[in-house]
Amino acid sequence: MTVQANNGNNQDYSVGLVAVSSWQGWLRHTPRRLNVQQEGAGASNLYRLWSTFSWQSPKGCVGYFKNGHTALVVRQGGVVTHVVGFNPESYLLAGLLQTTRGNNITVRGLWYDDFAMIQDPTAISYEINVTQNQAQDFDGVITSLIGRSDLGPHSPSDTPYFYSFRPADMEARVSGLTGNCGNMALVILCQFLYDWRKGEYVEMFRSWVNQNRNTRNFGQGPLMGAITQSFA
């Protein structure tokens, strides 16, 4: 595990993204070759499942392990206080549709408490330092998302929100807003960064997204690699 729940620095306040890898290898995690070392190489895949299991969302560990996941993270006084991510409302339905139809599907989405994912040995984070008040505000907003399917209380009430593994391919096929864990997290994060006059980070994310079809679909592999390299 590389995302420390408490890094011991009580002056550290940050917001950002945390991500875990998709399933690669059989008994042990064997990440595909990139020009950077990926976290969790050699870790037991059975341990990956067990490490993120929680009674509140027992099927969540399967989603983290099989497809990977990206979520919002906030750290206050060196301590990770919340991890919140956009997921399929029903892991079972999404899994069945993915098995029978592939990744070009849409299902109802929902924000979950994803704190358990930082225990995964492949977990990495990209964190941006902010003030104490900013971290508190961010924490309040992302925790208010849990159990919602939209972008917060000011979202249009007549707009449906869908989860898709390939949002760039599927959005034109449905009436509503379509996203996956990666782009929905960035939508929330970038709103705050603009308000805090940290537009250089927004531009950095925008440049990464617009590279190719895989990045426009917020593929977990490319995103993991980008976080590892600090989006350089």
Side-chain angles (χ1 to χ4, degrees):
M1 182 182 71
T2 59
V3 180
Q4 295 180 313
N6 184 348
N7 63 19
N9 180 0
N10 60 13
Q11 300 300 311
D12 187 8
Y13 293 86
S14 62
V15 302
L17 305 173
V18 62
V20 295
S21 178
S22 58
W23 179 30
Q24 298 171 65
W26 288 98
L27 293 178
R28 295 194 173 275
H29 182 61
T30 308
R32 300 180 185 92
R33 289 184 177 272
L34 293 173
N35 57 354
V36 292
Q37 179 63 43
Q38 296 293 288
E39 297 296 336
S44 164
N45 277 327
L46 287 176
Y47 174 73
R48 285 196 61 198
L49 279 169
W50 173 251
S51 67
T52 58
F53 177 83
S54 72
W55 291 109
Q56 291 79 13
S57 182
K59 297 185 292 296
C61 64
V62 179
Y64 301 149
F65 167 75
K66 184 175 183 291
N67 296 303
H69 188 49
T70 301
L72 294 160
V73 61
V74 57
R75 187 182 297 275
Q76 300 185 75
V79 178
V80 173
T81 51
H82 284 99
V83 179
V84 177
F86 192 68
N87 298 269
E89 181 182 52
S90 169
Y91 289 106
L92 180 60
L93 175 60
L96 287 173
L97 291 176
Q98 186 183 34
T99 300
T100 57
R101 303 182 189 177
N103 286 327
N104 288 337
I105 61 170
T106 57
V107 295
R108 181 178 167 85
L110 201 70
W111 291 92
Y112 280 81
D113 179 349
D114 282 321
F115 195 90
M117 68 184 284
I118 70 170
Q119 304 299 327
D120 190 308
T122 71
I124 56 177
S125 64
Y126 183 82
E127 301 178 35
I128 300 166
N129 286 118
V130 296
T131 68
Q132 180 176 352
N133 287 340
Q134 288 169 342
Q136 289 174 346
D137 290 346
F138 190 79
D139 188 87
V141 168
I142 68 172
T143 54
S144 73
L145 290 172
I146 297 171
R148 301 184 68 101
S149 64
D150 54 22
L151 296 174
H154 301 297
S155 302
S157 59
D158 58 346
T159 300
Y161 289 76
F162 300 101
Y163 180 97
S164 176
F165 296 107
R166 291 178 177 165
D169 294 345
M170 297 302 296
E171 188 162 27
R173 306 186 193 183
V174 298
S175 178
L177 194 151
T178 304
N180 64 10
C181 56
N183 68 322
M184 293 293 271
L186 274 182
V187 166
I188 298 294
L189 179 59
C190 287
Q191 288 177 336
F192 278 87
L193 294 173
Y194 264 130
D195 289 344
W196 297 334
R197 301 184 185 277
K198 293 180 180 289
E200 68 274 16
Y201 289 103
V202 179
E203 178 59 27
M204 176 188 72
F205 292 135
R206 187 198 66 80
S207 296
W208 177 80
V209 169
N210 287 326
Q211 289 181 87
N212 52 55
R213 197 67 175 175
N214 284 337
T215 53
R216 284 192 288 274
N217 272 313
F218 293 80
Q220 193 64 15
L223 186 55
M224 292 286 291
I227 292 174
T228 302
Q229 300 177 86
S230 298
F231 291 89

